[in-house]
Amino acid sequence: MLIQSRPRFQKTTTLLPPWEICLYVILSIASHLYSFYEVHKVSQEYEEELGREFEFEKGFFIWGFKKDPTDFEWSFWMDWGKRHLAWYFLCHVFISLVTKTLIPKFRVVFLMLYGVFVCFFLLGVRGLAMVLLHMMISFSVALLRKPLLCWLCSLMLLYTLHLPFFEEIQRSWYKTENEYYLLLFSLAMCCLRYTSFSLEYCWQQTGQRSSLQCFFAYLFYYPLFHNGPIITYKEFISQIQKEKTSSTKITFGIIVWTIARIFTWWLLAECMIHFLYIHAILSNEALLEVVSFWALGGLALAQVLFFYVKYLVLYGIPSLIVRIDGLEPPELPRCVSTMHSFTGMWRHFDVGLHRWLLRYIYVPMGGSHHGLLGKMFSSALAFGFVYYWHGAHDYLFSWALLNWIGLMIEYGVKKILFIPDAQNMIENVLSYEMTQRAFGILSAISTAMLILSNLVFLGGNHVGKIYWQRIFIQGSPDKVIFILGFLYCFAQVGIEWERRHQ
């Protein structure tokens, strides 16, 4: 039944009655709004205490709300964006358009030189030298055309970023911590790019050659240099060498509309850290232990939604510039409120990183073509690299392990449900409508674990433990069922959204 009914799940018409889908949408929106209201009440009640502990900033709203600056990533990139990055992005667009019109043959060279110049200005002579050192070591190893050696080289270079000895030396180059972290983030992104180039160089067919100039152009393409999103070397070089691509005809109206959307996302993120002190509360264990269940749920939802909106801005700006350059960037993250599985989260949130992991780790190691054990091994290597690349902290290991377990359970359940005997039994017992409702129940459980793993990633192991203890250990069964009930509504909305957009 599941195989036969699968195409029906891709139609624009729903298998569930329209009134039922509307009910799920209303309950999902209402639960989001009320839980956020509870978080706002907690934020206002403990504003003075949290403000003293986390040094709240003066907000830009005229009626006096303070701003929670606790999210390091948002504060970091907004500070750099206002002071430097926005202007350098505009200069990149200007150079790209001028060279494309007047000297198109030299456009790539000018963009490459511009990227080197900005890297020199922002990271300094030593920072640029470090980027070039990593680049040349990787290129030298790639000349041996041994993928395993390329991987060992990349992992060793990545390892140096977290050695205390090298950290102290690199910190001494700069006056502020933010300048050091800009170098660190840039080198981490460069690691993905030179690994991509090295492996593509090893795999290229006889007679094909990737020049050092192409490598420079890829590594120093400025819109993606500091924070991504990541584009593989093969995708980048095949698009930028073409005179015309499918996305070159971007109109002025589309540019204005995209800028308006990015501004709306930025404003929404700023509103969240003015009205909901989610990051400060999540950093205060004592407060997290006593807030109501509605506030606890609202904190979890607001955390993952803020992370989503944040990356709409951080990826949306460079993606727009990439499109103006005539390239096709990875899709922007999909709304996390419509995510109902670990598989969907990894496939649709950071699309560029997902493609990178598939091409350079999962597929080369065999993936699902080698059965369950092959899929488990390939997936474990991919998550192991993500854990290592993000910094190899304890909480990142827990997060990666939870995601790997979640993916494997989803894969196992899917394989079981597609066994002919299981399909026949489901077909005899459940109608199409009840099959989707049953799928929604399974998705609700998966969503609960997905949110928990994301809380570990965003807040650390201690936050994950508090949520696990309060909800699943100390919480009564009716509260657990209540939470899963709302997650069931979220899942059904996500399933319907997927079907309509496929």
Side-chain angles (χ1 to χ4, degrees):
M1 172 185 166
L2 290 179
I3 290 179
Q4 294 174 346
S5 64
R6 195 173 181 181
R8 299 194 181 192
F9 278 84
Q10 297 174 351
K11 290 184 178 180
T12 57
T13 55
T14 177
L15 295 177
L16 296 178
W19 66 264
E20 187 173 341
I21 294 297
C22 289
L23 178 62
Y24 294 146
V25 171
I26 293 171
L27 289 175
S28 297
I29 295 175
S31 60
H32 275 75
L33 294 178
Y34 183 73
S35 62
F36 292 164
Y37 170 69
E38 289 292 320
V39 175
H40 175 68
K41 288 201 305 183
V42 173
S43 300
Q44 294 304 299
E45 183 179 353
Y46 293 92
E47 180 179 0
E48 292 188 8
E49 177 184 335
L50 294 172
R52 288 193 300 268
E53 182 178 356
F54 298 103
E55 299 180 351
F56 282 0
E57 299 174 357
K58 184 178 180 180
F60 62 77
F61 289 105
I62 59 175
W63 50 86
F65 286 103
K66 295 180 180 178
K67 177 180 176 179
D68 177 8
T70 315
D71 185 86
F72 169 77
E73 193 174 27
W74 181 255
S75 299
F76 175 86
W77 289 117
M78 290 303 103
D79 179 60
W80 275 105
K82 287 183 290 186
R83 292 194 294 118
H84 296 290
L85 301 186
W87 306 108
Y88 288 129
F89 283 159
L90 289 174
C91 289
H92 171 95
V93 172
F94 176 77
I95 292 173
S96 178
L97 294 176
V98 170
T99 54
K100 184 178 181 180
T101 303
L102 301 179
I103 44 176
K105 290 184 178 180
F106 298 98
R107 175 169 169 255
V108 175
V109 175
F110 273 89
L111 293 181
M112 175 191 71
L113 293 175
Y114 177 75
V116 174
F117 165 76
V118 177
C119 182
F120 164 76
F121 186 83
L122 290 180
L123 303 180
V125 176
R126 293 171 177 173
L128 176 59
M130 183 60 64
V131 173
L132 293 173
L133 178 62
H134 280 223
M135 177 184 178
M136 296 314 299
I137 291 174
S138 177
F139 183 78
S140 300
V141 174
L143 294 176
L144 301 175
R145 303 178 72 87
K146 301 291 184 182
L148 180 59
L149 290 180
C150 292
W151 264 115
L152 290 175
C153 173
S154 295
L155 293 175
M156 287 298 295
L157 291 174
L158 189 60
Y159 178 68
T160 62
L161 300 184
H162 307 294
L163 287 175
F165 174 72
F166 285 105
E167 283 187 10
E168 291 180 10
I169 292 177
Q170 292 170 2
R171 274 189 165 92
S172 68
W173 298 344
Y174 302 106
K175 296 180 180 179
T176 65
E177 282 286 290
N178 274 4
E179 292 176 303
Y180 161 71
Y181 279 115
L182 185 66
L183 172 65
L184 181 65
F185 296 154
S186 300
L187 287 173
M189 291 303 303
C190 286
C191 176
L192 297 182
R193 287 192 286 272
Y194 59 65
T195 302
S196 175
F197 170 85
S198 300
L199 295 175
E200 296 292 349
Y201 188 89
C202 294
W203 295 340
Q204 67 186 3
Q205 298 177 0
T206 305
Q208 292 181 333
R209 287 293 179 267
S210 295
S211 66
L212 185 59
Q213 180 183 324
C214 292
F215 189 18
F216 261 94
Y218 174 56
L219 194 77
F220 285 100
Y221 181 66
Y222 187 67
L224 308 179
F225 183 80
H226 296 297
N227 193 45
I230 186 66
I231 298 177
T232 66
Y233 175 77
K234 182 180 180 180
E235 292 174 326
F236 176 83
I237 218 67
S238 65
Q239 293 185 51
I240 205 166
Q241 287 180 341
K242 294 179 181 178
E243 292 184 1
K244 294 183 179 181
T245 66
S246 60
S247 57
T248 53
K249 295 181 180 179
I250 182 171
T251 64
F252 180 74
I254 293 176
I255 294 173
V256 172
W257 170 245
T258 304
I259 292 173
R261 292 175 66 196
I262 294 172
F263 174 77
T264 302
W265 297 330
W266 171 82
L267 185 62
L268 178 59
E270 285 291 325
C271 287
M272 291 183 74
I273 58 178
H274 277 79
F275 298 119
L276 310 174
Y277 303 145
I278 50 178
H279 303 101
I281 296 173
L282 213 66
S283 301
N284 189 313
E285 293 186 39
L287 184 56
L288 205 56
E289 291 278 9
V290 298
V291 296
S292 67
F293 264 78
W294 272 108
L296 196 68
L299 283 167
L301 292 175
Q303 275 284 339
V304 295
L305 282 171
F306 180 83
F307 188 70
Y308 159 67
V309 174
K310 174 171 66 177
Y311 269 88
L312 285 179
V313 176
L314 298 183
Y315 280 178
I317 295 172
S319 292
L320 173 60
I321 299 172
V322 169
R323 293 190 66 195
I324 294 174
D325 284 344
L327 308 180
E328 188 65 36
E331 295 87 348
L332 293 180
R334 196 181 108 187
C335 179
V336 291
S337 290
T338 65
M339 301 284 192
H340 53 86
S341 68
F342 286 90
T343 305
M345 187 69 179
W346 278 93
R347 186 174 295 164
H348 299 295
F349 191 82
D350 194 333
V351 176
L353 181 60
H354 178 255
R355 291 174 181 169
W356 193 97
L357 293 171
L358 282 179
R359 180 161 181 80
Y360 301 119
I361 300 179
Y362 184 78
V363 173
M365 295 311 300
S368 58
H369 294 293
H370 290 177
L372 178 60
L373 291 179
K375 184 178 181 67
M376 292 176 66
F377 179 69
S378 302
S379 301
L381 286 180
F383 281 113
F385 176 78
V386 172
Y387 150 74
Y388 189 63
W389 181 70
H390 274 89
H393 301 291
D394 291 342
Y395 75 95
L396 292 172
F397 178 79
S398 302
W399 166 71
L401 181 62
L402 285 171
N403 277 267
W404 179 77
I405 292 173
L407 275 173
M408 292 304 101
I409 292 176
E410 288 178 359
Y411 177 76
V413 171
K414 180 180 177 181
K415 296 295 286 185
I416 292 172
L417 293 178
F418 274 77
I419 295 174
D421 290 341
Q423 293 179 35
N424 292 333
M425 183 181 68
I426 294 172
E427 187 179 60
N428 293 329
V429 174
L430 299 178
S431 64
Y432 285 110
E433 293 82 359
M434 289 306 299
T435 299
Q436 181 165 327
R437 295 184 184 110
F439 180 58
I441 294 173
L442 294 176
S443 298
I445 298 172
S446 182
T447 303
M449 294 301 102
L450 179 62
I451 293 175
L452 181 65
S453 71
N454 287 333
L455 288 172
V456 171
F457 178 74
L458 298 172
N461 285 327
H462 63 285
V463 172
K465 290 178 181 177
I466 290 173
Y467 269 84
W468 179 263
Q469 287 286 337
R470 289 204 59 188
I471 294 175
F472 296 104
I473 304 300
Q474 300 172 0
S476 58
D478 60 312
K479 288 183 178 178
V480 175
I481 295 173
F482 184 76
I483 292 172
L484 290 177
F486 278 108
L487 295 180
Y488 168 81
C489 296
F490 300 170
Q492 290 291 6
V493 173
I495 294 168
E496 181 66 17
W497 187 93
E498 282 183 354
R499 183 166 49 252
R500 289 180 178 273
H501 285 77
Q502 285 175 355

